[in-house]
């Protein structure tokens, strides 16, 4: 099963969140945040049934004028 993660830096942490389901985690590095997110997702799918088909999220940039 493949999920999409968005990672942001909120000093001193990196925050990784899954775009398909409401699961997030953090770490002191990008790699640690993603590893922690993977663990959180594994626990999530043990307890919550996932839809048979999940559509991939549409990733887009939105630009505002200054």
């Amino acid at each position: 099963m493949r999920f999409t993660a968005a990672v942001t830096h909120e000093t001193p942490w990196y925050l990784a969140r899954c775009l398909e389901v409401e699961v997030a985690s953090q770490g002191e590095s990008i790699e640690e945040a993603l590893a922690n997110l993977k663990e959180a997702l594994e626990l999530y799918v043990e307890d919550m049934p996932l839809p048979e088909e999940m559509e991939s999220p549409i990733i887009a940039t939105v630009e505002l004028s200054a």
Side-chain angles (χ1 to χ4, degrees), residues 4-25:
T4 308
V7 181
T8 56
H9 188 220
E10 297 180 19
T11 305
W13 300 101
Y14 286 90
L15 175 65
R17 60 187 181 87
C18 178
L19 300 181
E20 288 85 2
V21 294
E22 296 293 323
V23 176
S25 195

Side-chain angles (χ1 to χ4, degrees), residues 3-65:
F3 293 97
T4 308
V7 181
T8 56
H9 188 220
E10 297 180 19
T11 305
W13 300 101
Y14 286 90
L15 175 65
R17 60 187 181 87
C18 178
L19 300 181
E20 288 85 2
V21 294
E22 296 293 323
V23 176
S25 195
Q26 65 186 20
E28 293 180 350
S29 67
I30 294 171
E31 295 78 13
E32 183 179 2
L34 289 171
N36 291 342
L37 178 62
K38 181 180 178 182
E39 182 179 346
L41 284 166
E42 288 169 344
L43 294 171
Y44 178 85
V45 298
E46 284 180 8
D47 295 335
M48 299 293 292
L50 293 175
E52 289 183 24
E53 292 185 35
M54 289 192 320
E55 288 189 33
S56 295
I58 298 169
I59 308 298
T61 301
V62 177
E63 189 172 326
L64 301 177
S65 59

